[in-house]
Amino acid sequence: MDPAPRILWAIWLGPDPRPRRAASLQALRDQPDLDVRLIREPASLELAGHPFHPAYHHLHVVHRSDYLRAYAMHHYGGAYCDVKPLTSTVRAVIDDLNSDDDAWAIGYREVTSTYVGDLHHELGGYLKAHYRAVLGPSAFVFRPRSTFTTEWMRELHARLDYYHEPLQEAQAAGCDPYAAPPQYPIRWSEILADITQPLCLKHQAHVRFTDRIRPMLKDYR
């Protein structure tokens, strides 16, 4: 399996960030010994032969970010961080992942069961009870094209197949980043954590945890 490259991905799709966000973004740019890639024009990420799902352009901006981080982790690999304060050195976490031949992903443990999606049936209750066994969604490192990322992209595209027509009708692509129209069909965590967290349980033997890549999760706006 290929190693995770020494790339740090960040995504900012809105207008110029406010001062706190701008400071966090600059701190990511200043991470040492990394190729820091800020995605502001998503087309720069898209690979020939691997087009974005047709529903991508109808997603709310937050869900476009969810899609792009999945795409980057699968096709390129490396580290991803939200634009939030992060004080540790990401390069060391990438090196830790690459030094373990059985590891496909590394990140921080989810910090509270409140952040786990309200999934149906037994899986939802199991995730709530075992939230410390899943990756938090705000920062992580993945090897490219692992079984984990392959299943992540497959499920993501299956959900977008299902929601494609309702997304077109919702017309949410240009709405407020912190709101969505009432007819918008996708729940907040439905195409990110609701996919990755069950996969963490499925592939627990290949997931590693470290708080060195956990960003500040409060008062970051």
Side-chain angles (χ1 to χ4, degrees), residues 110-118 128 131:
E110 187 57 280
V111 299
T112 170
S113 62
T114 304
Y115 293 168
V116 175
D118 294 318
K128 292 284 188 184
Y131 70 92

Side-chain angles (χ1 to χ4, degrees), residues 23-161:
S24 296
L25 182 55
Q26 188 58 51
L28 292 178
R29 287 190 174 116
D30 292 340
Q31 281 277 332
D33 303 318
L34 288 176
D35 177 4
V36 180
R37 301 187 188 182
L38 172 64
I39 302 170
R40 297 209 69 171
E41 297 295 334
S44 66
L45 187 70
E46 194 171 14
L47 293 169
H50 300 283
F52 292 165
H53 191 281
Y56 166 81
H57 299 285
H58 304 292
L59 290 169
H60 182 277
V61 65
V62 171
H63 284 145
R64 275 182 274 152
S65 174
D66 292 348
Y67 183 90
L68 293 172
R69 78 187 72 178
Y71 189 99
M73 291 300 97
H74 178 60
H75 292 290
Y76 297 87
Y80 166 82
C81 292
D82 281 353
V83 181
K84 297 172 180 174
L86 179 69
T87 58
S88 57
T89 302
V90 175
R91 161 69 186 274
V93 179
I94 296 175
D95 290 347
D96 283 352
L97 175 64
N98 289 333
S99 68
D100 184 343
D101 291 340
D102 289 328
W104 300 343
I106 188 170
Y108 68 96
R109 295 182 187 275
E110 187 57 280
V111 299
T112 170
S113 62
T114 304
Y115 293 168
V116 175
D118 294 318
L119 301 182
H120 300 299
H121 310 303
E122 294 180 0
L123 177 59
Y126 194 85
L127 278 169
K128 292 284 188 184
H130 298 278
Y131 70 92
R132 295 290 286 170
V134 303
L135 293 169
S138 292
F140 38 63
V141 182
F142 277 87
R143 294 177 185 265
R145 297 174 297 278
S146 70
T147 301
F148 190 118
T149 63
T150 299
E151 294 179 2
W152 182 0
M153 289 300 296
R154 182 186 302 137
E155 179 62 22
L156 174 57
H157 278 201
R159 295 184 185 202
L160 292 183
D161 286 345

Side-chain angles (χ1 to χ4, degrees), residues 12-24:
W12 190 263
L13 302 179
D16 290 343
R18 295 176 181 178
R20 282 188 180 182
R21 294 281 203 175
S24 296

